[in-house]
Structure formats: structure tokens, C-alpha cells
Amino acid sequence: MVIEAMCGLILGASILFPRTFSRFNSFKKGFKDSFKIFLSTIPFTICAGIIEGYVTRHALRMPLMVNLLIIFGSLAIVIFYYIVYPSVVNKKTNKNINDTIL
């Protein structure tokens, strides 16, 4: 939800601070950027709803290790998806561009 809220802030900032673009072009660029981020959060929102609906009601009866596995597993997936994977793709893209230029 924090990432989805940041999408709204990106959109608002694109309107308030258009830099060298017209406000409309800045809005279009901000919408495009924030919508990409928003779309990437949809699978996580659905998974969070499923976990909240079906797993949380059993949390008091589950062993502590299962609870910790769910929590840290979810955290690892989110960190991988938003931090590790983009850096790997960026390195591959920059390597391919540098190989093409040389």
C-alpha cells in the first residue's frame, strides 16, 4: 500500500512540479511512470488479500516458524522484485548497450 500511495505522490508531483515540460506533458509522463509502478503492485495486493483472508485467521494456532516463514518469505520476494531484479536487468541492459556501442 505504501508503494501504491507513492504512485499517487509521483502523479501529484508531476502536476505540481512540471520542470521544463508543459503541465499536460508532465502529467502524461507522471501518469505513465506511476501506472507502471502501480501495475507491478497488483499481484502483491492480491496475494496479501489471500493471506489476510485465509491464513491470518489461523495465525494463533500455527507454529511460530510457519508465521516467520510467511513473513520473511514475503519480505524476500518483495525485496527481490523491487531491488535485486531491477539491478540485474539494468546491468544486463547496460552491458548489451556498451557491447553494441563498441
Side-chain angles (χ1 to χ4, degrees):
M1 289 183 66
V2 172
I3 295 172
E4 292 168 351
M6 291 308 297
C7 293
L9 291 175
I10 290 170
L11 189 59
S14 70
I15 295 169
L16 291 175
F17 309 110
R19 299 184 193 157
T20 58
F21 301 110
S22 68
R23 289 206 188 271
F24 183 69
N25 286 336
S26 178
F27 172 75
K28 287 194 305 188
K29 184 179 180 312
F31 180 80
K32 183 178 170 185
D33 294 341
S34 66
F35 194 68
K36 286 179 190 176
I37 297 169
F38 173 74
L39 283 178
S40 74
T41 64
I42 290 174
F44 295 112
T45 305
I46 292 170
C47 288
I50 291 169
I51 289 172
E52 195 66 33
Y54 295 107
V55 177
T56 305
R57 63 178 152 181
H58 303 293
L60 294 176
R61 288 178 262 150
M62 285 193 308
L64 178 63
M65 289 307 294
V66 175
N67 285 335
L68 293 176
L69 179 70
I70 292 171
I71 291 168
F72 289 117
S74 300
L75 179 64
I77 291 170
V78 169
I79 287 173
F80 174 78
Y81 191 73
Y82 285 110
I83 296 173
V84 176
Y85 183 66
S87 67
V88 169
V89 170
N90 189 26
K91 286 179 185 176
K92 284 184 181 179
T93 304
N94 287 338
K95 181 182 176 194
N96 290 340
I97 289 173
N98 291 336
D99 290 344
T100 306
I101 292 173
L102 298 173

